Amino acid sequence: MTNLAASAPLKSDQTDRLGAFPVLAAAWLLALGLIALQIAPLAMATFQRGILFDNDDAMRLVQLREWLGGQGWTDLTQHRVDPPDSPVAHWSRIVELPLAGIILPLRAVATPLEAERIAITVWPCILMAGFVLGLLAMARRLVAPPALIAGALIVALNPVLLFQFLPGRIDHHGAQMALALALVALAGRGLFRRSAAAGIAAGAVSAVMLAIGLETLPLVGAVAAAFGTAWIVEGASARRSVAAFGTSLVVATLCAFMLTVPPGRWSLPTVDSLSLPWLWLAVGGGVVLVGLSCLPTAPGRWRQRAALAFSAAALVCGVFVIAWPECLRGPYGNLDPLARSLWLVGVGEAQPLPALVLRNPSQFLFFLAFPLIGWLALGVAAIREGRREPRLFLVFALSTVALGVTLQQMRGAPFASMLGLFGWLYMIDRALQAVGTRPAGSAILPAVLTVGACALALPYGWNEAGAAIIAPSSHAQASCGDPADMAALAAEPRGLVLAPLRLGPRILVATPHDILAAPYHRNNRGNHVALAALSGSPAEALAAVRENKVRYVAICLGDADLDRLGSATSDPLVRRLAANDPPDWLQPIRQVGAIRAWRVVTP
């Protein structure tokens, strides 16, 4: 079999590494400068007014406050959501560590609110700077310097790549993208340079990703499969790095599990967070890799190695399917039907790709044109250059996995875009090489193609093309995000608030109140009650308000779910509230911005 580790790199990879660092630094600074110009107004709004990107970031901030206020590290109970039946969050606190690391020292020189706002502004920008540097550093090994500068422009001007790193974006998505990029780089080094240290680091990064959230499980599984494939193809020469990755994955995943899950829940299987079923997959997979690496190998007997590897993997996966079949249904398998029809259908990241194509071509093209074309270019690059630069096979395979995830749920699109970038840079690099090697007259077409590729790599034009097919209509959700608009509601005595799901976390951040509903699938009871009350008649809503001791009702006129709630029945409460025609058992509170709130005045 061919020794991939010994394959010759691309021509651009044979350049003097020391000479390439200034180009990398220039590309990074160029990208950061362009990004800073674009996000400066948002950064100021985040610092001055506490603007958060979406409801997940608001809920993350609430969880962080509770931890800093004394709640246990492994106690993820959301005590202010549907009390006393408060759900346990499926989120890990790992991504709260850097935020806490900024906030706690700053409290010595600033107020807690100022320290918090500095953290939610600065940390995403720090993470973004590291992510951009990682993208460009990885691209530097695949393309020549001129294409790297083009890559800096594409990264800086492409919101699909960077929206997870905007100021106020403190949820786990940005951290997962940065870790995924690190995993790709480390896996490439472990696989093709046979670096045991890189294999160990890749296993540790995989474990952290799984502990933060299971949405990266397909990428981690694909990397593990790549190490298994290396053992099948290479045999003894891959043994060291395969054993290093497998051992690290086992040890690090066990440590992550024990550090983030309370002992009382170790035996409790959960579908949506690191628990016994997923521990079995990760640890079992790592043990399989370690076991395979210990077996004697002989040159040319890759078929026997493949049979062993597939049999061991089938055993691990078979036990998983038999023991925990509920995990195959996904996190929304037990979701309340009313929440599915009135909330989940509006959650963009949870939608399958075909549904988005039919419902919103503009959004589809905005998010998917870039990774799809990049994926195709990666396929061409892997076919043409893969023998000389085998990392292209790895990037193409992981890009395929990310697009497969996106086909099921749109939450995979940022990962697909991250990997698709390298396909675009391959196209631009080849076009620039054609420009440089042809006479002036014949270089016009490649030059035009280069400029066109850079322009097509930006999603704005794709968005307009989609809008020309079917113009999407939605509320401006940003109007619901200013905590100052909650001032009147926050001044009321503490009580339970009935509000649409998306608004719930915003209320928790800006007021002392508790909420009945939040946009999270584990809060089945509270979400059902809130959706039934808001979409039902005023009389039905009143019964729910009395039964659950609700003191306030609130909506935001910018909430994208209002139309769906308002069309569920013939005379829904939420429609009357949006029209400022509340029933007589609701007394208006001073209206601020897009927020409308009422106190319950039933006897």
Side-chain angles (χ1 to χ4, degrees):
M1 302 299 292
T2 303
N3 190 328
L4 297 181
S7 300
L10 291 174
K11 182 178 180 180
S12 59
D13 207 30
Q14 296 173 332
T15 59
D16 181 12
R17 291 300 178 198
L18 293 176
F21 277 111
V23 178
L24 174 61
W28 185 49
L29 293 175
L30 172 63
L32 292 186
L34 292 173
I35 292 169
L37 291 174
Q38 297 174 82
I39 69 171
L42 179 59
M44 290 301 298
T46 303
F47 174 68
Q48 294 175 348
R49 293 152 51 200
I51 301 294
L52 293 165
F53 187 83
D54 72 2
N55 48 263
D56 284 349
D57 304 299
M59 201 70 217
R60 176 66 66 183
L61 182 56
V62 171
Q63 186 168 294
L64 173 64
R65 287 175 177 175
E66 291 174 347
W67 176 41
L68 296 180
Q71 188 168 336
W73 167 261
T74 59
D75 180 9
L76 300 177
T77 306
Q78 303 294 336
H79 294 287
R80 295 173 61 198
V81 179
D82 190 24
D85 302 315
S86 302
V88 176
H90 63 287
W91 293 348
S92 162
R93 291 197 191 276
I94 291 175
V95 297
E96 296 164 29
L97 286 171
L99 293 166
I102 296 173
I103 290 172
L104 292 176
L106 284 176
R107 285 183 175 178
V109 295
T111 67
L113 182 61
E114 289 171 341
E116 182 182 277
R117 289 188 175 180
I118 291 172
I120 66 175
T121 303
V122 170
W123 170 242
C125 295
I126 295 173
L127 195 59
M128 180 193 293
F131 178 72
V132 171
L133 179 60
L135 280 174
L136 295 175
M138 189 169 170
R140 179 177 65 90
R141 299 179 178 276
L142 299 174
V143 300
L148 191 64
I149 298 298
L153 295 173
I154 292 172
V155 170
L157 300 176
N158 194 324
V160 177
L161 285 171
L162 299 180
F163 79 95
Q164 302 287 14
F165 302 91
L166 295 175
R169 190 64 166 143
I170 59 172
D171 195 24
H172 62 276
H173 301 292
Q176 289 285 54
M177 286 188 67
L179 288 169
L181 180 64
L183 178 60
V184 175
L186 291 168
R189 192 174 184 85
L191 287 166
F192 306 119
R193 295 196 176 182
R194 300 295 182 252
S195 168
I200 292 171
V205 168
S206 298
V208 174
M209 291 168 66
L210 294 177
I212 291 174
L214 291 179
E215 65 265 34
T216 55
L217 177 65
L219 287 177
V220 171
V223 168
F227 275 94
T229 302
W231 178 80
I232 293 171
V233 174
E234 301 294 338
S237 63
R239 179 178 295 164
R240 188 163 170 260
S241 59
V242 171
F245 175 80
T247 302
S248 176
L249 181 63
V250 170
V251 174
T253 305
L254 285 171
C255 290
F257 176 77
M258 290 186 288
L259 290 173
T260 59
V261 180
R265 298 179 67 87
W266 282 0
S267 62
L268 180 65
T270 57
V271 174
D272 53 5
S273 62
L274 185 60
S275 61
L276 193 59
W278 311 108
L279 192 68
W280 166 263
L281 276 185
V283 173
V287 168
V288 165
L289 289 174
V290 174
L292 292 176
S293 69
C294 295
L295 296 176
T297 59
R301 303 193 67 180
W302 65 270
R303 291 181 178 85
Q304 290 85 341
R305 292 194 293 271
L308 282 172
F310 283 117
S311 297
L315 176 62
V316 172
C317 294
V319 171
F320 172 82
V321 171
I322 294 171
W324 302 285
E326 66 275 12
C327 291
L328 301 180
R329 300 171 60 193
Y332 303 119
N334 294 321
L335 187 66
D336 176 76
L338 191 62
R340 188 180 297 277
S341 62
L342 294 181
W343 164 62
L344 188 61
V345 295
V347 179
E349 68 174 21
Q351 298 305 303
L353 182 60
L356 185 67
V357 173
L358 295 175
R359 191 180 70 251
N360 195 331
S362 176
Q363 193 177 44
F364 161 71
L365 289 174
F366 184 84
F367 283 104
L368 267 299
F370 180 83
L372 278 172
I373 296 173
W375 173 75
L376 291 172
L378 274 173
V380 174
I383 293 171
R384 296 184 59 183
E385 311 285 355
R387 188 170 294 275
R388 289 184 292 166
E389 180 46 87
R391 282 171 294 194
L392 289 170
F393 284 121
L394 176 66
V395 177
F396 175 68
L398 295 179
S399 177
T400 303
V401 170
L403 279 175
V405 172
T406 306
L407 186 65
Q408 299 299 317
Q409 288 194 348
M410 282 297 297
R411 68 179 79 247
F415 298 96
S417 296
M418 175 186 76
L419 297 167
L421 169 69
F422 301 107
W424 283 94
L425 294 184
Y426 170 79
M427 288 191 294
I428 292 170
D429 186 49
R430 292 300 173 267
L432 286 172
Q433 287 185 18
V435 171
T437 57
R438 294 189 179 190
S442 62
I444 295 177
L445 180 59
V448 171
L449 291 176
T450 302
V451 175
C454 291
L456 288 173
L458 303 181
Y460 302 104
W462 295 106
N463 190 53
E464 294 302 319
I469 301 171
I470 298 178
S473 60
S474 64
H475 294 275
Q477 294 184 42
S479 62
C480 302
D482 194 336
D485 291 349
M486 301 276 189
L489 179 60
E492 296 288 317
R494 182 175 178 177
L496 183 65
V497 182
L498 167 64
L501 276 61
R502 293 176 193 261
L503 191 59
R506 306 281 192 183
I507 294 173
L508 293 181
V509 166
T511 79
H513 303 305
D514 301 329
I515 58 173
L516 191 59
Y520 305 106
H521 58 274
R522 286 193 176 187
N523 189 44
N524 254 340
R525 195 209 78 88
N527 289 350
H528 177 88
V529 172
L531 291 170
L534 292 167
S535 64
S537 68
E540 293 169 331
L542 178 57
V545 163
R546 285 173 170 166
E547 180 180 352
N548 291 275
K549 298 180 175 59
V550 172
R551 295 189 64 177
Y552 308 102
V553 178
I555 64 169
C556 175
L557 297 182
D559 194 327
D561 289 338
L562 291 188
D563 288 343
R564 195 176 302 107
L565 289 168
S567 60
T569 59
S570 59
D571 183 29
L573 171 67
V574 73
R575 188 191 301 165
R576 293 185 59 175
L577 297 180
N580 201 24
D581 181 28
D584 55 10
W585 49 271
L586 290 178
Q587 183 181 77
I589 299 173
R590 181 172 59 89
Q591 312 298 315
V592 182
I595 301 299
R596 300 290 182 265
W598 298 263
R599 64 179 65 88
V600 177
V601 292
T602 59

